[in-house]
Amino acid sequence: SHSKLAPFLRSHYTVLAREFGSLSMSERAAVFDATVDLTLSVLREALAADPPTSPSDSQAYFLAAKRLIHERFADPNLTPENIARALHCSRATLYRAFNAYGVTVAQYIREVRLQEAMRRIAVSPPNASIAGIAAECGFHGLLILGGSFASVLV
């Protein structure tokens, strides 16, 4: 079946392709989050007719993905696609597994990175490079780390 949100997603991607270069890093992060949420909504509707993954399979994928994220959080290229490939499942299966726990894959990756960055900042000397810590934790830059901190505080 066809998602009623699909035309919005197509339009969103068209505008994103046209305007992405003019956005600041924090704006890109916000747009990325919105894009992920909209894409997941369309996928959920499109996959609603698929038989659900069994609860035990879903939990196994969720736990395996969490372990992988904790092991590889520093990789700035850690993506749901790469995680699904490593777990030998589809992205849709991975998304469903995380959705069952009320979180998206991207949110969980961001949370793990942010927790590790906060831990490292707390134990670092006063003259430590925050940009360096951000890079060590898989953030593409200081603005992305700042945007993640801001989203937690809001």
Side-chain angles (χ1 to χ4, degrees):
S1 96
H2 189 264
S3 168
K4 292 179 183 176
L5 294 174
F8 293 100
L9 183 60
R10 270 192 300 278
S11 176
H12 179 78
Y13 277 119
T14 300
V15 172
L16 184 61
R18 186 179 61 236
E19 302 294 330
F20 190 77
S22 67
L23 299 175
S24 70
M25 290 302 283
S26 61
E27 290 168 331
R28 288 178 183 182
V31 168
F32 176 76
D33 287 343
T35 302
V36 168
D37 289 342
L38 182 56
T39 302
L40 287 175
S41 295
V42 171
L43 286 172
R44 278 188 210 100
E45 284 186 22
L47 298 171
D50 285 353
T53 307
S54 76
S56 62
D57 288 347
S58 183
Q59 182 182 25
Y61 283 123
F62 179 72
L63 294 173
K66 279 179 52 176
R67 185 179 66 247
L68 187 73
I69 291 166
H70 282 274
E71 291 170 0
R72 300 185 186 172
F73 70 88
D75 178 359
N77 298 313
L78 183 64
T79 62
E81 295 80 12
N82 294 338
I83 295 168
R85 191 175 308 114
L87 298 179
H88 304 288
C89 70
S90 70
R91 281 183 298 166
T93 297
L94 183 65
Y95 291 143
R96 280 194 296 268
F98 274 77
N99 187 50
Y101 292 88
V103 66
T104 68
V105 181
Q107 286 170 332
Y108 192 80
I109 292 169
R110 192 171 43 253
E111 264 183 44
V112 169
R113 288 176 172 163
L114 186 58
Q115 288 173 1
E116 181 61 19
M118 289 189 305
R119 186 192 69 73
R120 290 182 185 198
I121 290 168
V123 298
S124 65
N127 62 344
S129 166
I130 302 299
I133 291 172
E136 291 170 3
C137 293
F139 290 103
H140 286 285
L142 192 53
L143 289 175
I144 301 297
L145 175 63
S148 295
F149 273 122
S151 69
V152 170
L153 298 175
V154 172

